[in-house]
């Protein structure tokens, strides 16, 4: 999520660092022949760098651990590492990892105890503070980014908020933690809101509401940084006044959708019953066999549901969810960074 181009191992070539939804930071090395294969970034003991929850590729299940919890700090709920950037947090000349939590607003670091050319990461995470308190990004963390927002030569930390992905609760925003330290050691100040957390509830797509991924560039060439944000917009178009015929058609469509849903539920209940009691490998094989045998029917049922929903939507719009990329122009006076508008 939000990959970072950075010379991770100080070999003069750009690499890619990114967190993904399996709960670990990953690295793609730049080589003489192009990009290498993605690899998990491991700690000094050869173990995965995680928070608490992660996808176990051996058991093919979600797993949990507390082995990486920061000393003296117990997370309020299981954290899921989904975003990461390489950054020299402690000013010792090598790159550490700064990672964001998908489940909470926490930002944790994994300190590099090795060198710039041979990274060797600590076995435990470290809490990242801002203004003396652990960072708590409103709406949980969608991604972390680095940018010299105020032009002082220091990398500031920016976090995009995830927010409530589908419901009506508060969405995500974009938040800046200015680096008030020195080039020898980063220190983050009080949070500055660049884009308020979304209240949602709009009648049209007006802004990114959830899963905000910001980046920065002088898009209009006026000498300051503008903000580009990718994310999902959630909105609810007003329901039109329906004719009697349309109201009758709405009832018919809903009834047909209920039947289609019931048919799918019946199939999947039957599938679950047929694999019940089987060993994991045998259950996976049986499930695949049953799905393959029913593939044409499942595709037909899915197509039918899509067509019914397509006819129903203009009459009963409901909530819409679509991804966009948004530009926020910085209109602050030259040399005075401020919230983009």
């Amino acid at each position: 999520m939000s990959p970072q181009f950075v010379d991770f191992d100080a070999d003069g070539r750009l690499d890619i660092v990114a967190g993904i939804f399996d709960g670990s930071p990953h690295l793609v090395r730049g080589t003489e022949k192009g990009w290498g294969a993605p690899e998990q970034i491991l700690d000094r003991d050869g173990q995965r760098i995680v928070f608490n929850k992660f996808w176990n590729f051996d058991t093919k299940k979600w797993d949990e651990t507390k082995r990486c919890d920061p000393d003296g700090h117990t997370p309020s709920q299981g954290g899921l590492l989904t975003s990461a950037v390489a950054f020299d947090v402690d000013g010792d000349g090598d790159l550490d990892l700064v990672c964001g939590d998908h489940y909470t607003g926490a930002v944790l670091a994994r300190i590099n105890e090795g060198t710039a050319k041979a990274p060797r990461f600590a076995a435990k995470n470290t809490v990242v503070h801002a203004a003396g308190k652990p960072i708590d990004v409103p709406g949980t963390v969608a991604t972390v980014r680095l940018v010299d927002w105020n032009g002082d030569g220091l990398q500031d930390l920016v976090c995009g908020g995830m927010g409530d992905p589908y419901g009506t609760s508060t969405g995500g925003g974009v938040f800046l933690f200015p680096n008030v330290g020195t080039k020898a050691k980063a220190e983050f100040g009080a949070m500055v809101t660049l884009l308020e957390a979304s209240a949602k509830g709009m009648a049209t797509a007006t802004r990114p509401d959830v899963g905000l991924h910001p980046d920065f560039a002088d898009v209009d060439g006026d000498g300051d940084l503008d903000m580009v944000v990718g994310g999902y917009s959630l909105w609810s178009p007003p329901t039109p006044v329906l004719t009697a015929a349309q109201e009758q058609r709405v009832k018919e469509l809903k009834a047909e959708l209920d039947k289609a849903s019931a048919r799918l539920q019946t199939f999947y209940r039957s599938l679950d019953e047929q694999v019940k009691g089987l060993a994991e490998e045998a259950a996976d094989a049986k499930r695949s066999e049953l799905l393959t045998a029913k593939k044409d029917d499942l595709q037909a049922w899915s197509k039918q549901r899509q067509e019914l929903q397509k006819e129903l939507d203009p009459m009963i719009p409901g909530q819409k969810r679509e991804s966009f990329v948004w530009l926020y122009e910085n209109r602050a006076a030259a040399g005075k960074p401020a919230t983009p508008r």
Side-chain angles (χ1 to χ4, degrees):
M1 300 173 74
S2 289
Q4 173 199 25
F5 290 92
V6 61
D7 186 357
F8 182 76
D9 50 9
D11 65 353
R13 298 187 184 90
L14 282 179
D15 309 299
I16 300 174
V17 170
I20 66 174
F21 206 73
D22 72 355
S24 295
H26 285 65
L27 171 68
V28 178
R29 297 182 188 274
T31 72
E32 293 179 353
K33 298 181 180 179
W35 299 113
E39 59 187 82
Q40 292 174 349
I41 300 176
L42 305 177
D43 68 14
R44 68 188 182 198
D45 300 322
Q47 297 200 69
R48 287 176 63 180
I49 293 175
V50 298
F51 285 172
N52 300 117
K53 193 168 185 177
F54 61 95
W55 178 257
N56 190 321
F57 288 95
D58 294 326
T59 63
K60 298 181 181 179
K61 293 180 179 178
W62 285 102
D63 206 343
E64 291 193 27
T65 182
K66 291 187 177 296
R67 68 174 173 82
C68 303
D69 285 356
D71 290 331
H73 176 80
T74 302
S76 58
Q77 55 181 301
L80 177 63
L81 188 168
T82 57
S83 55
V85 291
F87 176 52
D88 187 3
V89 176
D90 52 9
D92 63 353
D94 57 40
L95 292 174
D96 311 296
L97 291 169
V98 178
C99 308
D101 185 358
H102 179 75
Y103 285 163
T104 75
V107 175
L108 304 179
R110 191 61 72 103
I111 300 301
N112 183 357
E113 299 174 343
T115 65
K117 290 183 176 293
R120 189 171 180 266
F121 293 97
K124 291 191 175 184
N125 298 308
T126 300
V127 178
V128 179
H129 291 75
K133 298 179 181 179
I135 289 179
D136 185 11
V137 178
T140 80
V141 182
T143 191
V144 290
R145 306 299 284 165
L146 297 169
V147 61
D148 182 4
W149 173 247
N150 54 12
D152 64 355
L154 302 177
Q155 292 291 294
D156 306 303
L157 181 67
V158 174
C159 296
M162 178 58 66
D164 178 16
Y166 292 98
T168 57
S169 299
T170 304
V174 179
F175 309 96
L176 167 75
F177 298 90
N179 188 346
V180 296
T182 65
K183 291 184 178 180
K185 186 176 182 179
E187 180 180 342
F188 298 109
M191 184 180 79
V192 176
T193 299
L194 297 183
L195 181 62
E196 293 280 357
S198 170
K200 300 183 181 175
M202 297 292 105
T204 59
T206 59
R207 56 157 288 167
D209 293 307
V210 299
L212 277 65
H213 288 63
D215 220 326
F216 301 85
D218 184 3
V219 176
D220 51 9
D222 64 353
D224 56 33
L225 288 176
D226 307 299
M227 183 169 69
V228 178
V229 184
Y232 285 95
S233 183
L234 277 66
W235 73 100
S236 299
T239 301
V241 177
L242 303 180
T243 65
Q246 287 176 318
E247 290 179 352
Q248 178 59 35
R249 183 55 180 158
V250 165
K251 292 180 181 179
E252 295 170 354
L253 289 169
K254 286 184 174 180
E256 291 181 53
L257 279 167
D258 287 343
K259 289 180 182 178
S261 296
R263 183 169 49 212
L264 282 168
Q265 290 170 6
T266 298
F267 167 74
Y268 283 109
R269 278 197 298 267
S270 172
L271 188 152
D272 289 340
E273 285 296 322
Q274 293 183 68
V275 301
K276 185 184 294 184
L278 297 178
E280 184 176 347
E281 188 174 337
D284 289 343
K286 185 65 174 178
R287 187 177 290 106
S288 178
E289 174 192 333
L290 294 171
L291 288 170
T292 299
K294 208 69 174 176
K295 178 181 177 182
D296 291 343
D297 286 338
L298 289 170
Q299 290 178 342
W301 296 344
S302 176
K303 183 178 180 180
Q304 181 194 23
R305 282 171 54 85
Q306 291 173 1
E307 290 174 349
L308 291 170
Q309 194 63 54
K310 184 178 180 180
E311 184 180 351
L312 182 63
D313 276 349
M315 293 182 283
I316 307 292
Q319 188 184 69
K320 306 298 179 185
R321 186 178 191 269
E322 190 172 344
S323 59
F324 298 91
V325 176
W326 308 78
L327 170 64
Y328 289 86
E329 181 187 357
N330 190 341
R331 295 182 180 175
K336 296 181 179 181
T339 302
R341 294 180 290 169

